[in-house]
Amino acid sequence: MITIPLSKENFNQVIPIPTLQDLAANSSNSDQQSNNIENDIDYLLHWLSPFWPDNRVFNEPSQRVKSAVRSCLRDESSQLDFVKLYGNSIKPRFFEELSPVLLDDRVLLTEAIDKIKFIKDYYNQYIKYLNLNKLPYDILNRNLNSLFHSILVENKQSKFIKNLTNYLYEMLFGDEKCLHGSVHGYISVLLSIELIDELNSIIIRLSIKQIKDYILATCTKVWDKPLLEEINCWIKSDLFPSFNLIMRLSNFDFSEKYLYDLIKIAHDELVSLRIKEIFGLVVDYPNSYIALSELHQCLSFKFNSHNTGTNISNLSTVINSNINTSEIDSANSLITISNFSSILINNSANSQAYQRAKLVDTFIQLCHEELLHSGANTVNVITCYTSTIKSFLIIDPKGVLLDRVVRPIRRYLKTREDIIIKLVHGLLDQSESNDLLELAQELRNGTKKTVIADDLMDLTWVPDPIDALPDFKKSKMTDIIESLISIFDSKEIFINEFTQLFGERLINLHDYDVKDVTDHLDLLKLRFGENEFTTLDIMIKDIEQSKITNEKINYRNEYSFHSTILSHLYWPTVCENVSHNDSFKLPDTISNQFEKFDKEFAGVKKGRGLKLLPSLGLVRLELSIRNTKLSFEVTPDKASIISLFHDKVDELRLTNIASQLDMQPYVASKAIDYWIKQNVLTETSKGIYKVNE
C-alpha cells in the first residue's frame, strides 16, 4: 500500500481548492479569507504533528487551533477524507515505532500494555478535539485499533496472545490469583483496542482447561461418592468469579447463563472421563453405583434454550470441537461470544447422542480387549455380563444402551463349551465359594415375569426409543437369568443339564432325603415352566419309592443292604451310559446280599426284577488289622479288592487281582493306591501287594 503523508499539499487535496474559492467568492475580502484558510491548515497540521507521540506530552489546542479545526473539518465529507488521510499517515510510524517494542521477548507483557495505553490515550486526546461526526469518529477509531490488531494478533512473529494467555492464567487461575487491581486496568486497555474476541477466547479456553484438569484430578476412579454437587460448587465459588471478570468488563453480563454453560461443560467432561473408565465401572459394580447414577444424570440432561437466552455462548460444544486445550495457545480459531447461540441449541442433542454412541463403542472395544478372548475364564465373563446388565440399566433405564453392549458378550458366551455347566452349577450353589452366587440368589429371590404376547394388550406400552435397534426388547435384558438362558436357541439344553446334575445328586444320597433337590426343582419350575422337568420328577419319585421299598424289605429281614431302585428309562446317564470299563465282579459277600434283596423285591413288586450296577453305591466295612478295628465307607471297587486279602497273608499281584474281579487293571491300581494311602496294604515289590501287618 502506498503511504500518503499528511502534508499541506495533500491536505489541500482533501479540502478541495474550489471549495475554498467558493467560500472566498461569497466574501468581499476573498484574499483575506483565503489567507485565513491557508493559516487554518497550517495551524491544524502544526498541532497534529508529530504524528507519533515520541513520549511527549499532549499539547492542549489553543482557541486558534480549535477555530482552524472548525474551518477545515466543517462537514462530514471533509472529515471522512481527513480521517482516511490521517490514518494512512500514522500507519508507517505505528509499525516502525511500535512493532519492535511489542514483539520484543525482553519486554514484559505489562510494559507492552502500558505502551499500548499511552499511545491509545495520546491519539484519543487529539480525536476528542477534532469534533468529528459519529461516522468519521468510528472509522478513525477502528483504523487505530486495526493497527494494534495487525501488530499484536495478525503478525506471525507476535507472541503477544501467548504471553497474554499465560498472564491471565496466573492472574485469574494461578496459585496467587488476583481478581482485582492492575489486571482490571490491563484488560480494560485491551478492550479499548477491540481485543474483546481474543480476550473472550482466552478466558473460555482457560476455563475449559481448568475444568478438564479439575475433573481429572478429583474424579478419576472416584466411583463411590457423589461428585456432581461438588463440581457445581467449585465452578460457582472458584472458577466462575475469574471467568465472569472479563465477561463483565466486556459488557457481557449474563452471569446465570454463563454459569449454566460452565456447569454443563464440567458435566460433559465428567461423561468423557466415565466413558474411558466404563469397563472398570461395570466390573466394580455395585461399588460404582454412585458414579453410574451420576453418569445417568449427565446423559439424560435435557437442554433448555430458555435457560440460557438467545445470546448465550456455546461453551458446552467446545469440548467436542477438537481444540487441544492442553496447549491453549495452539488453536487458531477464536471462540467468541457472538457465534455461540445457534451452535449450542443445535448441537446439544447431537452431543448427547454422540456421548451415548461413544459410551457403547468404548465399552464394546474394552470388552474385546479385556474379556472376550480365548484366555478368559467363563465364570468371569458371566459375572461381567450380569454386572453389565445392572450397570447399564442404571445408566439408561430404557435398556437401549444395554441392548447394544451385551450383544457381543452374548455371542461370545454362546461359543464357550462349559457355559451350560457353569450356569447350572452357579444357579444351584448357595455357598459363599460360588463365584456366581448372585445368580443363585436371583433364582431364589425372583420369579419368572409374565410376558405379554400382544403389545396392544399392554396398558404400559410406550414406543421404543429412537436409537433402539430393530429387534430391541428390553424385557429380555432386565431379567438376568432369562437373559442368560435366551443366549441359546432352546432352553432344553439347560433342562437336560439340570436333570443330569440332580440325577448325580440323587444317586449319591445315603438317606433318601430329597428335600434339597425338590426345593431347587420348585424354583426351576417357576423359571422354566411346571411341565419341563417330567424326567426329574420321576427320578425323585424313584428315590422316594426306594426308601419305602427298602423299609419294607429290611424291616422283615433285618438286612444291611440298602438299595436305590431306578427306572432305567428315566436314568439314561446312569443306566445306559455306565462305561463297560467300570463293570467288575463283586465279592460273594456283597453279591449274595443283593441276590437275597432281589428275591424279596420280586415278592414286593410282582413281576419286576433288579439289575445291579457294581460301579455305583457305597460299602460300609470294618477291618481288623494290627489288632485294631478300622471302619471305612468306600466304593464297591475298593471293597471288592480288599475282600481278596481277607484271611490271606500271601502276596497278590495286580494282574491276579484284576483277573479275579474281571476289573480293568487301571481301575484296580487306583483302588489299591487308596488302601496303600490308608496304610492297609503295602507294595512289597513292583505290582505285588500284601496286607500291611
Side-chain angles (χ1 to χ4, degrees):
M1 177 182 292
I2 299 175
T3 302
I4 303 175
L6 184 56
S7 62
K8 185 175 182 179
E9 179 184 355
N10 292 329
F11 194 88
N12 283 331
Q13 294 180 5
V14 172
I15 310 294
I17 297 300
T19 303
L20 297 177
Q21 293 174 347
D22 291 342
L23 290 173
N26 294 328
S27 172
S28 59
N29 193 351
S30 59
D31 291 336
Q32 181 180 354
Q33 288 193 23
S34 178
N35 290 334
N36 288 340
I37 291 175
E38 292 291 334
N39 290 335
D40 287 342
I41 295 174
D42 289 335
Y43 273 102
L44 177 57
L45 293 178
H46 178 74
W47 176 66
L48 288 174
S49 64
F51 302 134
W52 185 254
D54 289 332
N55 296 323
R56 81 188 201 114
V57 179
F58 170 72
N59 185 21
E60 191 81 19
S62 64
Q63 289 299 323
R64 181 68 185 86
V65 172
K66 293 179 181 178
S67 175
V69 170
R70 289 192 298 270
S71 174
C72 296
L73 304 177
R74 60 190 175 280
D75 56 47
E76 187 170 281
S77 176
S78 299
Q79 293 175 9
L80 289 171
D81 289 335
F82 167 76
V83 298
K84 293 177 183 177
L85 182 59
Y86 186 58
N88 188 271
S89 300
I90 65 176
K91 182 176 181 180
R93 296 297 301 275
F94 235 92
F95 284 95
E96 180 183 345
E97 302 290 342
L98 192 57
S99 294
V101 176
L102 298 184
L103 300 181
D104 191 345
D105 290 338
R106 294 170 296 178
V107 178
L108 297 177
L109 178 80
T110 53
E111 294 177 4
I113 296 177
D114 287 337
K115 185 70 173 178
I116 293 170
K117 183 179 186 305
F118 172 76
I119 297 170
K120 180 69 174 178
D121 289 346
Y122 177 82
Y123 284 109
N124 280 344
Q125 292 179 89
Y126 278 99
I127 294 172
K128 181 176 66 172
Y129 288 103
L130 290 175
N131 297 324
L132 299 174
N133 292 348
K134 185 177 187 308
L135 179 58
Y137 177 86
D138 290 342
I139 290 175
L140 183 54
N141 255 314
R142 286 200 299 270
N143 287 342
L144 286 171
N145 292 337
S146 67
L147 291 175
F148 284 110
H149 196 276
S150 62
I151 296 173
L152 300 175
V153 179
E154 295 176 2
N155 193 318
K156 294 182 179 180
Q157 297 178 348
S158 174
K159 296 182 180 179
F160 182 81
I161 295 299
K162 178 180 179 181
N163 294 336
L164 178 60
T165 299
N166 295 333
Y167 171 78
L168 290 177
Y169 177 80
E170 291 299 325
M171 293 296 103
L172 302 180
F173 305 109
D175 295 335
E176 299 179 1
K177 62 182 180 181
C178 173
L179 299 183
H180 304 286
S182 59
V183 66
H184 290 74
Y186 291 132
I187 291 172
S188 298
V189 171
L190 298 177
L191 291 174
S192 72
I193 61 173
E194 296 184 357
L195 290 184
I196 181 173
D197 287 345
E198 286 73 21
L199 283 168
N200 287 337
S201 181
I202 290 172
I203 193 65
I204 290 170
R205 294 179 192 279
L206 286 176
S207 298
I208 294 173
K209 183 179 185 302
Q210 287 297 103
I211 290 173
K212 284 178 172 284
D213 292 345
Y214 179 83
I215 295 297
L216 285 175
T218 60
C219 303
T220 301
K221 293 190 176 181
V222 179
W223 304 335
D224 58 350
K225 71 174 186 176
L227 294 173
L228 285 181
E229 189 59 35
E230 180 181 333
I231 293 170
N232 296 348
C233 290
W234 171 77
I235 290 177
K236 292 176 184 178
S237 61
D238 198 352
L239 178 68
F240 186 66
S242 300
F243 174 88
N244 199 38
L245 170 66
I246 292 180
M247 295 304 170
R248 284 189 289 105
L249 293 174
S250 306
N251 293 323
F252 288 100
D253 192 12
F254 302 102
S255 301
E256 293 299 325
K257 302 175 181 66
Y258 288 130
L259 176 61
Y260 169 87
D261 265 359
L262 290 173
I263 291 175
K264 181 65 171 66
I265 289 174
H267 290 189
D268 286 345
E269 189 59 26
L270 180 62
V271 170
S272 298
L273 175 62
R274 294 300 183 237
I275 288 175
K276 296 176 183 177
E277 299 176 332
I278 184 59
F279 187 78
L281 284 166
V282 169
V283 171
D284 198 46
Y285 179 88
N287 296 327
S288 58
Y289 176 84
I290 295 176
L292 294 167
S293 298
E294 291 192 334
L295 178 56
H296 162 68
Q297 293 180 49
C298 295
L299 286 175
S300 61
F301 173 82
K302 295 187 180 298
F303 174 78
N304 183 358
S305 59
H306 297 295
N307 292 338
T308 59
T310 57
N311 293 320
I312 188 61
S313 69
N314 70 335
L315 301 181
S316 60
T317 64
V318 175
I319 289 293
N320 297 322
S321 64
N322 296 324
I323 295 175
N324 184 0
T325 54
S326 63
E327 298 180 6
I328 50 184
D329 59 308
S330 64
N332 295 320
S333 59
L334 285 178
I335 306 173
T336 61
I337 297 298
S338 58
N339 69 351
F340 286 161
S341 176
S342 61
I343 301 177
L344 176 61
I345 295 173
N346 292 334
N347 284 0
S348 62
N350 294 335
S351 175
Q352 209 170 81
Y354 168 82
Q355 290 172 334
R356 288 166 62 89
K358 184 66 174 176
L359 178 67
V360 170
D361 293 342
T362 300
F363 182 77
I364 292 176
Q365 178 185 348
L366 291 173
C367 274
H368 283 292
E369 293 175 0
E370 303 290 339
L371 189 70
L372 307 182
H373 51 76
S374 58
N377 182 284
T378 301
V379 172
N380 291 341
V381 181
I382 297 172
T383 303
C384 184
Y385 182 81
T386 60
S387 297
T388 300
I389 292 176
K390 295 186 176 183
S391 298
F392 272 86
L393 283 178
I394 295 172
I395 299 171
D396 175 30
K398 293 182 179 179
V400 175
L401 301 185
L402 172 63
D403 177 57
R404 290 176 177 271
V405 298
V406 297
R407 292 186 181 226
I409 307 178
R410 289 167 63 84
R411 286 194 296 269
Y412 176 81
L413 282 173
K414 195 172 183 178
T415 66
R416 297 303 295 242
E417 295 180 356
D418 58 344
I419 176 66
I420 303 298
I421 296 175
K422 297 296 185 183
L423 283 176
V424 168
H425 283 265
L427 285 166
L428 300 179
D429 187 0
Q430 299 181 64
S431 66
E432 292 296 328
S433 60
N434 179 17
D435 292 329
L436 299 177
L437 180 60
E438 187 178 355
L439 291 182
Q441 294 171 343
E442 185 82 14
L443 180 65
R444 284 151 187 79
N445 296 336
T447 58
K448 185 176 181 180
K449 297 175 176 60
T450 303
V451 178
I452 300 176
D454 190 352
D455 287 336
L456 296 177
M457 300 298 294
D458 183 7
L459 300 180
T460 64
W461 178 87
V462 293
D464 290 338
I466 192 171
D467 54 347
L469 295 175
D471 57 346
F472 166 73
K473 290 294 182 182
K474 180 183 176 182
S475 59
K476 291 183 178 180
M477 296 295 105
T478 54
D479 187 320
I480 293 177
I481 296 178
E482 186 69 22
S483 176
L484 285 165
I485 294 172
S486 67
I487 291 175
F488 304 91
D489 298 330
S490 171
K491 59 184 178 182
E492 196 68 31
I493 53 177
F494 281 95
I495 294 172
N496 291 339
E497 188 63 33
F498 280 121
T499 301
Q500 180 175 341
L501 176 63
F502 282 122
E504 293 173 357
R505 291 189 182 183
L506 291 171
I507 203 66
N508 289 315
L509 289 177
H510 299 164
D511 53 5
Y512 305 102
D513 184 2
V514 296
K515 184 178 185 308
D516 180 64
V517 176
T518 55
D519 288 344
H520 281 96
L521 182 58
D522 290 340
L523 293 172
L524 293 174
K525 286 181 177 179
L526 286 173
R527 177 65 59 175
F528 291 89
E530 186 70 28
N531 300 320
E532 298 295 336
F533 291 92
T534 304
T535 298
L536 190 52
D537 285 333
I538 295 175
M539 295 168 77
I540 293 173
K541 187 176 180 180
D542 280 349
I543 302 301
E544 293 173 335
Q545 287 295 322
S546 296
K547 179 181 180 181
I548 296 173
T549 302
N550 274 269
E551 287 177 348
K552 287 182 179 180
I553 295 176
N554 288 322
Y555 174 77
R556 292 187 299 183
N557 299 278
E558 297 182 356
Y559 287 151
S560 59
F561 188 91
H562 299 273
S563 65
T564 299
I565 303 168
L566 312 179
S567 302
H568 73 279
L569 293 178
Y570 295 94
W571 295 77
T573 57
V574 175
C575 298
E576 297 177 3
N577 297 330
V578 173
S579 172
H580 294 292
N581 294 336
D582 294 337
S583 299
F584 54 89
K585 179 181 178 182
L586 289 169
D588 293 341
T589 53
I590 297 177
S591 58
N592 291 339
Q593 290 191 51
F594 169 70
E595 291 174 1
K596 294 179 181 178
F597 187 90
D598 187 26
K599 292 179 181 179
E600 294 292 334
F601 176 79
V604 174
K605 301 288 185 178
K606 302 296 184 180
R608 297 174 62 182
L610 299 175
K611 178 182 178 182
L612 184 65
L613 298 176
S615 61
L616 300 178
L618 288 174
V619 178
R620 293 188 181 94
L621 50 84
E622 185 177 88
L623 302 180
S624 179
I625 184 172
R626 298 184 295 275
N627 299 322
T628 303
K629 291 186 177 181
L630 302 175
S631 297
F632 296 93
E633 190 174 81
V634 296
T635 54
D637 59 325
K638 296 180 179 65
S640 299
I641 285 177
I642 201 63
S643 68
L644 298 179
F645 291 89
H646 181 60
D647 293 336
K648 291 181 180 291
V649 294
D650 297 337
E651 298 175 334
L652 291 177
R653 292 180 177 274
L654 175 61
T655 53
N656 293 335
I657 295 173
S659 175
Q660 291 185 52
L661 298 177
D662 292 331
M663 183 181 292
Q664 291 292 326
Y666 173 76
V667 177
S669 66
K670 297 295 290 184
I672 292 172
D673 287 342
Y674 170 80
W675 291 117
I676 291 176
K677 290 178 181 179
Q678 298 299 320
N679 205 26
V680 173
L681 297 181
T682 183
E683 186 175 18
T684 58
S685 59
K686 186 173 179 59
I688 301 175
Y689 308 93
K690 73 172 185 177
V691 176
N692 185 11
E693 294 290 352

